[in-house]
Amino acid sequence: DVKVTQSSRYLVKRTGEKVFLECVQDMDHENMFWYRQDPGLGLRLIYFSYDVKMKEKGDIPEGYSVSREKKERFSLILESASTNQTSMYLCASSLPRTSGGPYEQYFGPGTRLTVT
Amino acid sequence: AQKVTQAQTEISVVEKEDVTLDCVYETRDTTYYLFWYKQPPSGELVFLIRRNSFDEQNEISGRYSWNFQKSTSSFNFTITASQVVDSAVYFCALRFHSGGSNYKLTFGKGTLLTVNP
């Protein structure tokens, strides 16, 4: 069974704080992703990584950065949290394109972040 | 444009009713994959099914069935004899080539299914 874990289910932070969201997967997947989910907007891709130390911007990278120092771990960083970053954050992992598939992404349980 | 449309925002049914969740997609790719995910109230997205663009066979898994039709760019999901535990948000997603060697998923906005006892 693929297992993707996220460091916190619920997090409350203050405006201006630096926030780290951690994601770990145990299936040796090359690809990892960070999404945010908001009512009425669905899931939107923030960043993704297809290898250690590699990263690509997704659709809404502004205000976020990421770190991938080890294959199993992908961190999302909010440099200076703002109230409009209050959201559900979902991490996912998948096999790479070169694997031939399957290509589905496996998701963690999510972190509900509130910035006050 | 790569796009997934789930026109039904919310559906409410009574237990044991059949229900179909619609998914329409747009893509420039000739090879692509479609997925359905379930998100129960606990929040974790659970993978349900994958379908590639070369395989138009419908699939049945227990009470779940999927109807893939390239001619109408649709990948609809039917739950037969719905149960309260089916209550969740269901997402349809499209894997497409986003440039270079990268592929991304784009999700529909989801359909909230409520099954009442």
Side-chain angles (χ1 to χ4, degrees), chain A residues 21-51:
Chain A
L21 302 183
E22 306 285 344
C23 175
V24 177
Q25 49 92 7
D26 66 358
M27 281 303 291
D28 205 34
H29 284 169
E30 280 78 1
N31 293 347
M32 296 188 75
F33 308 83
W34 275 107
Y35 295 88
R36 66 177 280 176
Q37 182 179 9
D38 301 287
L41 297 177
L43 276 78
R44 294 179 291 167
L45 181 65
I46 304 172
Y47 267 97
F48 65 101
S49 168
Y50 49 86
D51 204 348

Side-chain angles (χ1 to χ4, degrees), chain B residues 8-106:
Chain B
Q8 303 147 310
T9 307
E10 294 187 38
I11 300 176
S12 182
V13 299
V14 177
E15 211 169 14
K16 296 184 184 166
E17 281 187 39
D18 298 348
V19 58
T20 295
L21 310 181
D22 297 333
C23 173
V24 173
Y25 63 92
E26 295 174 34
T27 181
R28 291 186 298 262
D29 293 356
T30 53
T31 302
Y32 52 89
Y33 287 78
L34 294 159
F35 306 86
W36 276 96
Y37 287 85
K38 174 182 180 180
Q39 187 179 38
S42 59
E44 183 171 343
L45 265 79
V46 177
F47 164 70
L48 294 177
I49 190 171
R50 152 191 9 106
R51 177 63 75 230
N52 74 51
S53 51
F54 293 103
D55 182 3
E56 287 193 71
Q57 273 194 329
N58 292 330
E59 182 155 340
I60 298 174
S61 176
R63 296 183 297 107
Y64 294 173
S65 62
W66 290 270
N67 182 0
F68 176 35
Q69 292 196 345
K70 284 180 77 171
S71 60
T72 55
S73 297
S74 65
F75 185 40
N76 296 338
F77 173 29
T78 297
I79 302 174
T80 303
S82 59
Q83 300 176 2
V84 172
V85 292
D86 295 328
S87 297
V89 180
Y90 290 87
F91 290 94
C92 181
L94 166 71
R95 177 182 180 268
F96 66 96
H97 184 221
S98 59
S101 59
N102 293 326
Y103 288 77
K104 293 182 185 177
L105 282 189
T106 188

